[in-house]
Amino acid sequence: MISLSIFCISTPIGIALAMGLLEILSITAGSRSTISLVSGLIQGLSTGFFLYITFVEMICDEIRDGKDLMLKTLFLTLGLVIIGVSTVAHNYTDQMALADD
């Protein structure tokens, strides 16, 4: 219960800090490449935390359970494929939009 409370408090604080940092950079730096770099670093950190929690904390418990292992593996693989395809599609559309400019 304590860890859930900490997570519920820290998530909005982290979002606010990241938004504030990007806003400060957009006002002071003004460089699009600097803002993109910082945004990428923040997104990379949050993705790393998400993947760690997913694979170490949640999936290990599900696999140890032993029930419906094939079904769980199928949905895990399906989820990873959907995330991968959506990421590639998003990056592709971003590149196409930049090429049009």
Side-chain angles (χ1 to χ4, degrees), residues 40-56:
L41 289 172
I42 292 171
Q43 290 178 15
L45 281 172
S46 64
T47 302
F49 289 135
F50 174 74
L51 290 174
Y52 175 79
I53 290 170
T54 300
F55 286 104
V56 173

Side-chain angles (χ1 to χ4, degrees), residues 31-97:
S31 172
R32 185 177 170 122
S33 61
T34 304
I35 295 169
S36 295
L37 176 67
V38 172
S39 176
L41 289 172
I42 292 171
Q43 290 178 15
L45 281 172
S46 64
T47 302
F49 289 135
F50 174 74
L51 290 174
Y52 175 79
I53 290 170
T54 300
F55 286 104
V56 173
E57 299 292 330
M58 297 174 65
I59 292 178
C60 288
D61 291 338
E62 290 295 324
I63 290 174
R64 270 189 236 126
D65 181 18
K67 297 177 187 171
D68 300 323
L69 194 55
M70 282 300 268
L71 190 61
K72 290 175 184 179
T73 305
L74 172 72
F75 281 114
L76 173 65
T77 306
L78 182 65
L80 289 173
V81 167
I82 289 171
I83 289 172
V85 168
S86 65
T87 301
V88 169
H90 177 72
N91 289 338
Y92 178 76
T93 56
D94 281 352
Q95 291 298 324
M96 295 306 287

